Amino acid sequence: MSANDQTQMNALAQASAAAHPVPDRGHVNNYAEDKELQQLLALYLPADLYAHLQPYFERMGELAGGAVDDWALEADRNPPTLQMRSRSGKEEQRILKHPAYIEMEKVAYQQFGLAAISHREDMFGWKGKMPAIVKYALTYLFVQSEFGLCCPLSMTDSLTRTLKKYGDEKLVAKYLPTLLSMDFDHSVQGSMFMTEQAAGSDISNTLTMAYPQEDGSWRLYGEKWFCSNPDAGFGMVLARVDGGPPGMKGISLFLLPRTKDDGSTNDYHIVRLKDKMGTRSMASGEIRMDGAVAYLVGEQGRGFVQMADMVNNSRLSNGMRAAGMMRRAVAEAEYIARERWAFKHRLEDLPLMKVQLDKLRVPAEQARTMVFQTAATLTRSDAGDKNAYALLRILTPLIKFRACRDARKVTGDAMEVRGGCGYIEEWADPRLVRDAHLGSIWEGTSNIVALDVKRAIKREGSLPVLQEHLLGLLADIQDGTQGITPAYRQALTDALAGAVKLAERAVADDGEKSVRQAATALYNCTTAIAMAWEASKTGSSERLRLSQLVVAHRVLPWDPLNEGGVPAAWVH
């Protein structure tokens, strides 16, 4: 090839790149672009509060879709490191975080107080306690760019909740102010240290020992195997009381401060940091306690029961994070399909791509609806509604079980829409895929969480409460053009009845092998009915269409030899 030919080829290549650039969504406002989210917030929040919070949702949407997204990429590329000594040789353990991660901490903890919203009554210039939906909606926007930091946020929030609920007055008075501080330089974060090599899902195998002291404190000895945010200001720790009974009844809950009253570092050491597949921006490690000072929280021997409240709160947060990551993955895929041309058509106009995009949208919107339903139930439960507590006990493991599993597939399939670029680390897709795989492992694997659905049904009587709640939503939907057709109402009613029967069989003595199947059925029926109810209130025909796709493709029997689709009688 001559020099002239080479010059012409280079010019053609540059012209082609200019005419057909790789679609780059770039900086966006995650809130302003999401009309469905705006409609749902208007539905679930009191009108005056929703109006008051508009600037805060707008600001978080702007930050999450802009600066936070840039920082998240940098923090993922530059994970934290463990410093064992100071430069002068002094033993001084510190986790060194990348400046980009610290900037994200300032947004989350200081600007928006995401770990404190549920525990203060003076947030965002509003007097009174915020509904849980506010915290989850703001974090939902934030997590679309950064997943790793949301783990410490959730643990700080959950630790504070557990301390307030079970800690004695002196302990709460001593430590609560620093947990709720909005001053970034003087605030502290939380963590929970449960897992040991022998005690993963089976907490009764816990070997860490607790010994009482004359001053009322305790000394802890042992190792914890998975400790995210290991240098947090406070950790909730499960340990076995010296002389206590074997098994779960011998385990108690303790608050472990990083710093002792005299200002010295507590007697526990970070052994190493984990080299993780995802959430690389946030430190996770192993710790060894050598007589660490700790304080009993609640009753002796009730450690796991009390810790379960913290775990359940974290499980709801996990489900919300999965929903947020799916929303980001879908938004990226929709943008690419709208902007990319192939075979003389926009990708979004091609029949196969239309189907693939719907396969991404359906689980993403199911999870979003489940976040709103569960958060609203949490607020009622915290207000003392006993039925709401039973409902919360089943909704929480349902969203943790199904949404976190769906996120793995949705993020992977959305990567494919971008094509080869989706596999390149300078785009968000690889980070979403890696982070999404954590949700179904953290705070209980899928089997453990499905068994918690069974526990909620058997111990809390949650199944009839869930059924009553969903039938109430159905009854609140009109027939006709403003609601649903009689045929679709019947399909939803029949699907719910079938899911309830399956769940009843699954919790029987010989039915455990069907628990996951039952959990999936209940989740799909819950979200389909709630999405139809939301559509009837907001007027969103798209939300109703997605509800119908849930039933047609995730509930009813499907014949792989037929095209399938939504029955005509369901559609106005």
Side-chain angles (χ1 to χ4, degrees), residues 243-328:
M248 204 72 84
K249 292 182 179 180
I251 296 173
S252 297
L253 182 63
F254 297 88
L255 182 70
L256 176 71
R258 183 64 174 144
T259 304
K260 293 190 286 190
D261 289 346
D262 63 5
S264 63
T265 302
N266 207 349
D267 299 302
Y268 78 85
H269 305 279
I270 303 169
V271 178
R272 64 166 177 163
L273 299 185
K274 303 282 194 181
D275 185 8
K276 299 175 293 182
M277 171 181 167
T279 63
R280 296 181 65 82
S281 62
M282 183 268 304
S284 299
E286 303 160 20
I287 68 166
R288 178 184 297 122
M289 292 165 283
D290 298 308
V293 176
Y295 302 93
L296 181 68
V297 176
E299 299 177 43
Q300 280 193 44
R302 299 274 295 169
F304 183 72
V305 174
Q306 294 163 176
M307 184 69 126
D309 185 72
M310 185 173 178
V311 170
N312 281 329
N313 210 44
S314 294
R315 284 177 175 172
L316 171 53
S317 179
N318 256 300
M320 175 275 299
R321 284 176 255 165
M325 285 192 291
M326 284 192 276
R327 168 61 195 166
R328 171 66 184 275

XYZ file of all heavy atoms in Angstrom, residues 243-328:
646
model
N -18.636 -19.420 79.683
C -19.486 -20.155 80.604
C -20.927 -20.282 80.154
O -21.743 -20.894 80.857
N -21.256 -19.732 79.001
C -22.631 -19.789 78.513
C -22.958 -21.129 77.873
O -22.076 -21.969 77.670
N -24.221 -21.371 77.518
C -24.622 -22.644 76.921
C -24.085 -22.782 75.500
O -23.741 -21.787 74.852
C -26.151 -22.562 76.931
C -26.447 -21.097 76.916
C -25.353 -20.458 77.712
N -24.002 -24.007 74.993
C -23.551 -24.209 73.615
C -24.615 -23.761 72.610
O -25.764 -23.483 72.989
C -23.330 -25.725 73.544
C -24.276 -26.283 74.564
C -24.324 -25.270 75.673
N -24.218 -23.718 71.346
C -25.177 -23.380 70.301
C -25.535 -21.910 70.277
O -24.860 -21.054 70.848
N -26.672 -21.609 69.657
C -27.077 -20.230 69.443
C -27.383 -19.500 70.744
O -27.197 -18.276 70.853
C -28.314 -20.209 68.531
C -28.503 -18.922 67.777
S -27.288 -18.689 66.451
C -28.061 -19.614 65.136
N -27.842 -20.218 71.789
C -28.229 -19.571 73.038
C -27.037 -19.018 73.813
O -27.223 -18.229 74.742
C -29.012 -20.552 73.907
C -30.378 -20.914 73.342
C -31.135 -21.850 74.274
C -32.512 -22.184 73.709
N -33.265 -23.096 74.604
N -25.843 -19.422 73.433
C -24.661 -18.911 74.123
C -24.054 -17.701 73.454
O -23.010 -17.198 73.901
N -24.677 -17.212 72.395
C -24.098 -16.118 71.606
C -24.775 -14.795 71.961
O -26.003 -14.708 72.025
C -24.242 -16.413 70.099
C -23.419 -17.655 69.743
C -23.801 -15.220 69.273
C -23.621 -18.140 68.341
N -23.960 -13.779 72.189
C -24.465 -12.451 72.539
C -23.923 -11.409 71.570
O -22.993 -11.675 70.791
C -24.075 -12.095 73.980
O -24.670 -13.001 74.901
N -24.509 -10.218 71.632
C -24.163 -9.136 70.716
C -23.395 -8.056 71.469
O -23.776 -7.666 72.576
C -25.444 -8.547 70.111
C -25.288 -7.428 69.082
C -24.539 -7.927 67.844
C -26.666 -6.894 68.671
N -22.313 -7.573 70.830
C -21.442 -6.583 71.475
C -21.148 -5.426 70.529
O -21.051 -5.614 69.308
C -20.125 -7.232 71.911
C -20.290 -8.315 72.937
C -20.514 -9.634 72.556
C -20.253 -8.012 74.293
C -20.688 -10.634 73.487
C -20.424 -9.008 75.244
C -20.644 -10.325 74.845
N -20.991 -4.248 71.116
C -20.546 -3.070 70.376
C -19.043 -2.934 70.574
O -18.560 -2.838 71.702
C -21.261 -1.814 70.870
C -20.907 -0.527 70.124
C -21.478 -0.545 68.705
C -21.421 0.702 70.888
N -18.311 -2.914 69.466
C -16.848 -2.862 69.489
C -16.373 -1.519 68.943
O -16.424 -1.287 67.733
C -16.277 -4.009 68.637
C -14.766 -4.076 68.462
C -14.096 -4.500 69.761
C -14.399 -5.060 67.336
N -15.922 -0.590 69.811
C -15.395 0.689 69.309
C -13.973 0.520 68.770
O -13.202 -0.288 69.294
C -15.412 1.596 70.542
C -15.355 0.664 71.702
C -15.950 -0.640 71.281
N -13.652 1.284 67.744
C -12.286 1.239 67.200
C -11.306 1.913 68.159
O -10.140 1.515 68.248
C -12.245 1.926 65.832
C -10.881 1.867 65.132
C -10.485 0.462 64.809
N -9.263 0.381 64.009
C -8.351 -0.557 64.128
N -8.493 -1.520 65.036
N -7.285 -0.591 63.363
N -11.781 2.927 68.889
C -10.928 3.680 69.800
C -11.426 3.539 71.232
O -12.632 3.666 71.483
C -10.900 5.168 69.407
O -10.487 5.286 68.046
C -9.944 5.948 70.291
N -10.531 3.281 72.158
C -10.907 3.150 73.566
C -11.091 4.529 74.200
O -10.739 5.554 73.605
C -9.841 2.344 74.306
C -9.767 0.881 73.850
C -8.880 0.023 74.738
C -7.408 0.300 74.521
N -6.554 -0.709 75.226
N -11.621 4.537 75.404
C -11.930 5.804 76.073
C -10.702 6.675 76.289
O -10.802 7.903 76.341
C -12.607 5.531 77.427
C -14.023 5.010 77.266
O -14.570 5.114 76.151
O -14.589 4.484 78.253
N -9.530 6.043 76.421
C -8.312 6.833 76.654
C -7.689 7.346 75.354
O -6.616 7.955 75.365
C -7.284 6.011 77.442
C -6.814 4.763 76.688
O -7.205 4.577 75.511
O -6.058 3.960 77.281
N -8.367 7.098 74.236
C -7.884 7.584 72.944
C -6.992 6.620 72.196
O -6.647 6.869 71.029
N -6.606 5.518 72.823
C -5.760 4.524 72.149
C -6.607 3.609 71.269
O -7.818 3.476 71.461
C -4.989 3.693 73.171
O -5.889 2.952 73.992
N -5.944 2.974 70.316
C -6.640 2.051 69.419
C -7.007 0.778 70.166
O -6.205 0.239 70.931
C -5.746 1.702 68.206
O -5.408 2.918 67.527
C -6.469 0.788 67.240
N -8.223 0.313 69.933
C -8.690 -0.896 70.610
C -7.843 -2.100 70.200
O -7.179 -2.097 69.152
C -10.166 -1.143 70.285
C -10.883 -1.921 71.365
O -10.278 -2.469 72.277
N -12.208 -1.978 71.259
N -7.909 -3.144 71.025
C -7.030 -4.297 70.845
C -7.571 -5.295 69.818
O -7.850 -6.445 70.135
C -6.818 -4.998 72.193
C -6.167 -4.068 73.208
O -5.067 -3.578 72.922
O -6.779 -3.827 74.265
N -7.748 -4.795 68.618
C -7.994 -5.727 67.506
C -7.213 -5.254 66.298
O -6.969 -4.052 66.128
C -9.487 -5.913 67.222
C -10.195 -4.814 66.460
C -10.190 -4.782 65.069
C -10.940 -3.836 67.130
C -10.877 -3.812 64.376
C -11.629 -2.868 66.444
C -11.600 -2.856 65.057
O -12.277 -1.882 64.365
N -6.813 -6.200 65.507
C -5.901 -5.914 64.395
C -6.510 -6.386 63.087
O -7.141 -7.446 63.025
C -4.552 -6.595 64.622
C -3.906 -6.246 65.932
N -3.195 -5.086 66.114
C -3.907 -6.876 67.128
C -2.770 -5.031 67.368
N -3.188 -6.102 68.000
N -6.329 -5.587 62.065
C -6.738 -5.982 60.719
C -5.625 -6.861 60.159
O -4.496 -6.404 59.965
C -6.970 -4.750 59.825
C -8.023 -3.833 60.464
C -7.414 -5.177 58.429
C -8.133 -2.470 59.817
N -5.926 -8.118 59.936
C -4.906 -9.080 59.505
C -4.521 -8.832 58.052
O -3.335 -8.814 57.703
C -5.423 -10.524 59.685
C -4.389 -11.536 59.205
C -5.785 -10.777 61.145
N -5.516 -8.634 57.217
C -5.252 -8.339 55.801
C -6.544 -7.850 55.169
O -7.634 -7.999 55.717
C -4.757 -9.573 55.055
C -5.765 -10.709 54.985
C -5.369 -11.772 53.963
N -6.314 -12.885 53.954
C -6.414 -13.782 52.974
N -5.620 -13.691 51.922
N -7.297 -14.763 53.045
N -6.425 -7.243 53.972
C -7.574 -6.857 53.175
C -7.808 -7.920 52.105
O -6.876 -8.539 51.603
C -7.371 -5.487 52.525
C -7.179 -4.303 53.475
C -7.117 -3.002 52.680
C -8.270 -4.235 54.531
N -9.076 -8.101 51.736
C -9.447 -9.095 50.735
C -9.269 -8.521 49.325
O -9.561 -7.350 49.072
C -10.907 -9.507 50.920
C -11.261 -10.049 52.308
C -10.814 -11.482 52.480
C -11.459 -12.099 53.711
N -11.048 -13.498 53.948
N -8.832 -9.365 48.421
C -8.746 -8.998 47.003
C -10.041 -9.469 46.346
O -10.166 -10.612 45.929
C -7.528 -9.668 46.361
C -7.318 -9.233 44.918
O -8.022 -8.300 44.468
O -6.473 -9.840 44.231
N -11.008 -8.571 46.260
C -12.360 -8.959 45.872
C -12.601 -8.813 44.375
O -11.978 -7.991 43.700
C -13.381 -8.099 46.618
C -13.343 -8.230 48.133
C -14.301 -7.246 48.788
C -13.849 -5.824 48.579
N -14.721 -4.825 49.231
N -13.580 -9.569 43.900
C -14.016 -9.473 42.503
C -14.694 -8.133 42.240
O -14.467 -7.499 41.211
C -14.988 -10.616 42.203
C -15.691 -10.536 40.860
S -16.836 -11.931 40.668
C -17.774 -11.392 39.239
N -15.544 -7.694 43.181
C -16.277 -6.441 43.028
C -16.181 -5.612 44.290
O -15.413 -5.913 45.201
N -16.969 -4.540 44.348
C -16.915 -3.562 45.446
C -15.468 -3.235 45.817
O -15.109 -3.140 46.990
C -17.681 -4.057 46.701
O -17.085 -5.246 47.227
C -19.129 -4.332 46.374
N -14.661 -3.045 44.805
C -13.225 -2.874 45.024
C -12.897 -1.520 45.651
O -11.828 -1.343 46.225
C -12.474 -3.041 43.702
C -12.614 -4.444 43.114
C -11.826 -4.593 41.815
N -10.404 -4.461 42.012
C -9.595 -5.426 42.432
N -10.102 -6.621 42.724
N -8.306 -5.228 42.585
N -13.809 -0.578 45.567
C -13.541 0.747 46.133
C -13.530 0.720 47.659
O -12.917 1.570 48.302
C -14.612 1.733 45.655
O -15.901 1.334 46.115
N -14.228 -0.248 48.245
C -14.444 -0.314 49.695
C -13.654 -1.478 50.292
O -13.626 -2.567 49.738
C -15.946 -0.487 49.948
C -16.357 -0.494 51.398
S -16.407 -2.145 52.136
C -17.529 -3.007 51.060
N -13.043 -1.222 51.433
C -12.177 -2.228 52.056
C -12.982 -3.304 52.773
O -13.933 -3.014 53.494
C -11.237 -1.554 53.051
N -12.574 -4.544 52.560
C -13.069 -5.686 53.337
C -11.846 -6.463 53.800
O -10.868 -6.600 53.062
C -13.971 -6.586 52.496
O -15.111 -5.900 52.041
N -11.899 -6.993 55.011
C -10.713 -7.674 55.520
C -11.038 -8.707 56.570
O -12.187 -9.116 56.759
N -9.976 -9.143 57.255
C -10.078 -10.080 58.363
C -9.543 -9.372 59.608
O -8.582 -8.604 59.518
C -9.239 -11.332 58.082
C -9.621 -12.049 56.793
C -8.510 -12.952 56.284
O -7.618 -13.320 57.077
O -8.514 -13.272 55.083
N -10.159 -9.645 60.764
C -9.668 -9.022 61.990
C -9.400 -10.086 63.051
O -10.009 -11.148 63.061
C -10.653 -7.967 62.552
C -11.945 -8.617 63.059
C -10.946 -6.888 61.518
C -12.777 -7.685 63.911
N -8.468 -9.766 63.933
C -8.146 -10.621 65.077
C -8.288 -9.788 66.348
O -7.662 -8.736 66.474
C -6.730 -11.168 64.968
C -6.330 -12.041 66.183
C -4.885 -12.504 66.091
N -4.686 -13.351 64.917
C -3.806 -13.092 63.954
N -3.052 -11.990 64.031
N -3.675 -13.903 62.933
N -9.116 -10.244 67.268
C -9.346 -9.540 68.535
C -8.515 -10.197 69.640
O -8.642 -11.397 69.894
C -10.831 -9.576 68.881
C -11.694 -8.756 67.926
S -13.472 -9.120 68.052
C -13.556 -10.683 67.152
N -7.685 -9.389 70.265
C -6.812 -9.876 71.343
C -7.150 -9.159 72.638
O -6.380 -8.340 73.145
C -5.342 -9.643 70.974
C -4.927 -10.403 69.726
O -5.166 -11.621 69.680
O -4.388 -9.771 68.800
N -8.342 -9.422 73.165
C -8.778 -8.729 74.365
C -9.371 -7.371 74.059
O -9.255 -6.444 74.878
N -10.035 -7.259 72.919
C -10.630 -5.985 72.524
C -11.764 -5.613 73.475
O -12.589 -6.446 73.854
C -11.156 -6.070 71.090
N -11.801 -4.346 73.869
C -12.845 -3.845 74.765
C -14.151 -3.720 73.984
O -14.190 -3.132 72.895
C -12.458 -2.482 75.357
C -13.597 -1.922 76.211
C -11.182 -2.605 76.179
N -15.222 -4.268 74.543
C -16.528 -4.208 73.894
C -17.605 -4.073 74.960
O -17.349 -4.234 76.164
C -16.763 -5.458 73.043
N -18.837 -3.783 74.505
C -19.944 -3.551 75.427
C -21.144 -4.387 74.995
O -21.506 -4.406 73.814
C -20.311 -2.066 75.453
C -19.147 -1.191 75.847
C -18.322 -0.626 74.868
C -18.834 -0.978 77.182
C -17.235 0.156 75.220
C -17.750 -0.199 77.550
C -16.947 0.361 76.565
O -15.862 1.129 76.913
N -21.748 -5.057 75.957
C -22.906 -5.896 75.679
C -24.071 -5.040 75.180
O -24.379 -3.995 75.748
C -23.327 -6.653 76.945
C -24.526 -7.598 76.818
C -24.178 -8.797 75.942
C -24.982 -8.069 78.207
N -24.708 -5.514 74.122
C -25.890 -4.845 73.571
C -27.085 -5.772 73.783
O -27.115 -6.886 73.263
C -25.717 -4.523 72.077
C -26.992 -3.920 71.510
C -24.538 -3.584 71.858
N -28.053 -5.329 74.545
C -29.235 -6.148 74.779
C -28.980 -7.261 75.773
O -28.102 -7.180 76.637
N -29.751 -8.356 75.632
C -29.690 -9.462 76.579
C -28.612 -10.477 76.192
O -28.382 -10.728 75.006
C -31.031 -10.198 76.624
C -32.217 -9.365 77.061
C -33.493 -10.179 76.999
O -33.478 -11.355 77.421
O -34.509 -9.648 76.514
N -27.998 -11.063 77.200
C -27.088 -12.181 76.942
C -27.877 -13.346 76.326
O -29.007 -13.616 76.711
C -26.441 -12.658 78.248
C -25.282 -11.835 78.720
C -24.500 -12.535 79.828
O -24.223 -13.732 79.750
N -24.149 -11.783 80.872
N -27.247 -14.012 75.379
C -27.866 -15.170 74.755
C -28.873 -14.839 73.675
O -29.424 -15.740 73.041
N -29.112 -13.550 73.442
C -30.069 -13.131 72.401
C -29.340 -12.447 71.257
O -29.944 -11.711 70.469
C -31.083 -12.159 73.001
C -31.922 -12.720 74.134
C -33.145 -13.433 73.619
N -34.055 -12.521 72.946
C -35.098 -12.922 72.221
N -35.318 -14.219 72.061
N -35.893 -12.048 71.627
N -28.056 -12.732 71.118
C -27.237 -12.014 70.150
C -27.714 -12.124 68.723
O -27.838 -11.118 68.015
N -28.005 -13.340 68.289
C -28.384 -13.494 66.881
C -29.758 -12.906 66.617
O -29.986 -12.310 65.560
C -28.354 -14.960 66.468
C -28.673 -15.140 65.007
C -27.763 -14.771 64.039
C -29.907 -15.642 64.607
C -28.058 -14.900 62.686
C -30.206 -15.777 63.266
C -29.281 -15.416 62.299
N -30.674 -13.065 67.562
C -32.014 -12.496 67.377
C -31.921 -10.979 67.220
O -32.586 -10.380 66.364
C -32.910 -12.853 68.579
C -34.260 -12.136 68.479
C -33.126 -14.360 68.648
N -31.084 -10.352 68.039
C -30.923 -8.906 67.962
C -30.143 -8.494 66.707
O -30.479 -7.500 66.062
C -30.225 -8.411 69.228
C -31.085 -8.595 70.465
C -30.325 -8.510 71.771
O -30.904 -8.564 72.836
N -29.014 -8.403 71.698
N -29.138 -9.274 66.356
C -28.375 -8.987 65.144
C -29.241 -9.171 63.902
O -29.028 -8.506 62.878
C -27.154 -9.913 65.074
C -26.227 -9.636 63.909
S -25.343 -8.064 64.090
C -23.651 -8.578 63.920
N -30.248 -10.055 63.992
C -31.111 -10.315 62.839
C -31.826 -9.045 62.398
O -32.080 -8.851 61.201
C -32.110 -11.419 63.168
N -32.152 -8.162 63.331
C -32.796 -6.897 62.968
C -31.863 -6.067 62.099
O -32.279 -5.464 61.103
C -33.157 -6.129 64.234
C -33.943 -4.857 63.937
O -35.116 -4.977 63.566
O -33.367 -3.762 64.076
N -30.584 -6.058 62.463
C -29.578 -5.343 61.677
C -29.390 -5.999 60.316
O -29.303 -5.326 59.286
C -28.253 -5.325 62.441
C -27.157 -4.513 61.793
S -25.703 -4.399 62.892
C -24.579 -3.442 61.848
N -29.366 -7.327 60.303
C -29.186 -8.067 59.053
C -30.367 -7.836 58.113
O -30.192 -7.613 56.903
C -29.001 -9.568 59.339
C -29.068 -10.378 58.048
C -27.681 -9.814 60.054
N -31.599 -7.869 58.653
C -32.776 -7.657 57.808
C -32.784 -6.266 57.206
O -33.167 -6.068 56.045
C -34.056 -7.899 58.612
C -34.368 -9.376 58.771
O -34.039 -10.188 57.907
N -34.994 -9.737 59.872
N -32.366 -5.271 57.989
C -32.270 -3.920 57.461
C -31.257 -3.861 56.318
O -31.477 -3.208 55.290
C -31.869 -2.963 58.583
C -32.416 -1.569 58.393
O -33.573 -1.398 58.049
N -31.592 -0.558 58.627
N -30.145 -4.578 56.490
C -29.119 -4.625 55.443
C -29.614 -5.396 54.225
O -29.231 -5.083 53.094
C -27.841 -5.271 55.991
O -27.261 -4.463 56.991
N -30.451 -6.413 54.441
C -30.987 -7.167 53.306
C -31.899 -6.305 52.435
O -31.872 -6.401 51.206
C -31.740 -8.400 53.808
C -30.807 -9.521 54.259
C -31.557 -10.710 54.835
N -30.626 -11.802 55.132
C -30.949 -12.911 55.785
N -32.207 -13.075 56.228
N -30.060 -13.849 56.003
N -32.709 -5.472 53.079
C -33.534 -4.542 52.303
C -32.649 -3.587 51.516
O -32.903 -3.298 50.338
C -34.474 -3.775 53.234
C -35.264 -2.618 52.616
C -36.017 -3.061 51.379
C -36.223 -2.023 53.657
N -31.585 -3.120 52.154
C -30.638 -2.244 51.454
C -29.997 -2.961 50.274
O -29.794 -2.375 49.205
C -29.563 -1.766 52.429
O -28.622 -0.948 51.765
N -29.682 -4.244 50.452
C -29.136 -5.028 49.347
C -30.091 -5.079 48.175
O -29.699 -4.949 47.012
C -28.844 -6.458 49.830
C -27.372 -6.708 50.054
O -26.574 -6.601 49.139
N -27.009 -7.050 51.267
N -31.378 -5.307 48.465
C -32.368 -5.334 47.399
C -32.489 -4.011 46.685
O -32.625 -3.951 45.453
N -32.440 -2.919 47.469
C -32.492 -1.589 46.867
C -31.291 -1.353 45.967
O -31.405 -0.786 44.870
C -32.552 -0.540 47.985
C -32.489 0.908 47.535
S -30.778 1.488 47.317
C -30.157 1.285 48.974
N -30.112 -1.789 46.427
C -28.906 -1.604 45.609
C -29.007 -2.389 44.300
O -28.591 -1.910 43.236
C -27.675 -2.035 46.390
C -27.236 -1.032 47.444
C -26.068 -1.554 48.254
N -26.492 -1.983 49.578
C -25.760 -2.721 50.383
N -24.573 -3.150 50.015
N -26.211 -3.053 51.586
N -29.544 -3.598 44.378
C -29.732 -4.393 43.168
C -30.670 -3.667 42.206
O -30.429 -3.621 40.993
C -30.289 -5.775 43.519
N -31.737 -3.087 42.748
C -32.676 -2.342 41.910
C -31.991 -1.150 41.244
O -32.200 -0.880 40.057
C -33.861 -1.865 42.759
N -31.170 -0.430 42.001
C -30.471 0.724 41.445
C -29.487 0.342 40.359
O -29.392 1.014 39.323
N -28.740 -0.741 40.579
C -27.791 -1.177 39.553
C -28.514 -1.631 38.294
O -28.054 -1.377 37.177
C -26.901 -2.288 40.104
C -25.848 -1.781 41.063
S -24.597 -3.031 41.434
C -25.576 -4.182 42.381
N -29.654 -2.314 38.468
C -30.416 -2.714 37.286
C -30.934 -1.494 36.538
O -30.943 -1.471 35.296
C -31.567 -3.639 37.678
C -31.136 -5.056 37.992
S -32.510 -6.239 38.125
C -33.012 -5.962 39.828
N -31.377 -0.483 37.262
C -31.844 0.742 36.617
C -30.722 1.372 35.791
O -30.952 1.791 34.644
C -32.344 1.723 37.677
C -32.592 3.130 37.171
C -33.641 3.199 36.077
N -33.589 4.486 35.394
C -34.178 4.754 34.242
N -34.888 3.820 33.634
N -34.069 5.958 33.689
N -29.516 1.430 36.332
C -28.392 1.997 35.576
C -28.103 1.159 34.338
O -27.892 1.698 33.235
C -27.142 2.045 36.475
C -25.835 2.412 35.738
C -25.854 3.837 35.216
N -24.677 4.187 34.449
C -23.524 4.621 34.957
N -23.377 4.738 36.267
N -22.521 4.946 34.175
